[in-house]
């Protein structure tokens, strides 16, 4: 699945992306790992993208709330 990177200003996250049909949020971390979070709605993705701190929003609202898997 092809997901376009949207680069963000964060000390931990390089970029985020969203696949509408599958409701998949992809997060590229600065350490080189990439994770796909399933079942993330469009509004949640937009809130993450627009958050003052992407890393904090991710920790508070995404991690632990949605199933995820490491992406290749």
């Amino acid at each position: 699945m092809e997901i376009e990177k949207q680069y963000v200003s964060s000390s931990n996250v390089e970029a985020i992306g969203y696949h509408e049909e599958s409701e998949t949020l992809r997060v590229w971390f600065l350490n080189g790992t990439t994770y796909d979070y399933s079942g993330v709605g469009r509004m949640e993705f937009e809130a993450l993208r627009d958050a003052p701190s992407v890393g904090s929003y991710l920790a508070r609202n995404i991690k632990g709330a949605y199933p995820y898997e490491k992406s290749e």
Side-chain angles (χ1 to χ4, degrees):
M1 153 179 41
E2 192 67 34
I3 298 180
E4 183 180 333
K5 278 186 176 182
Q6 294 184 31
Y7 290 91
V8 294
S9 177
S10 170
S11 60
N12 194 25
V13 178
E14 176 188 14
I16 60 173
Y18 188 70
H19 187 261
E20 192 88 46
E21 287 179 22
S22 64
E23 292 192 320
T24 299
L25 165 67
R26 182 167 291 165
V27 180
W28 289 269
F29 289 93
L30 289 170
N31 68 5
T33 59
T34 303
Y35 287 93
D36 287 346
Y37 294 86
S38 305
V40 179
R42 172 55 114 180
M43 289 180 67
E44 186 81 273
F45 166 72
E46 290 173 356
L48 171 66
R49 182 193 64 204
D50 299 339
S53 171
V54 172
S56 293
Y57 190 95
L58 186 69
R60 280 195 320 271
N61 300 287
I62 307 293
K63 290 182 176 180
Y66 297 96
Y68 68 92
E69 61 183 25
K70 197 168 184 178
S71 179
E72 295 304 318

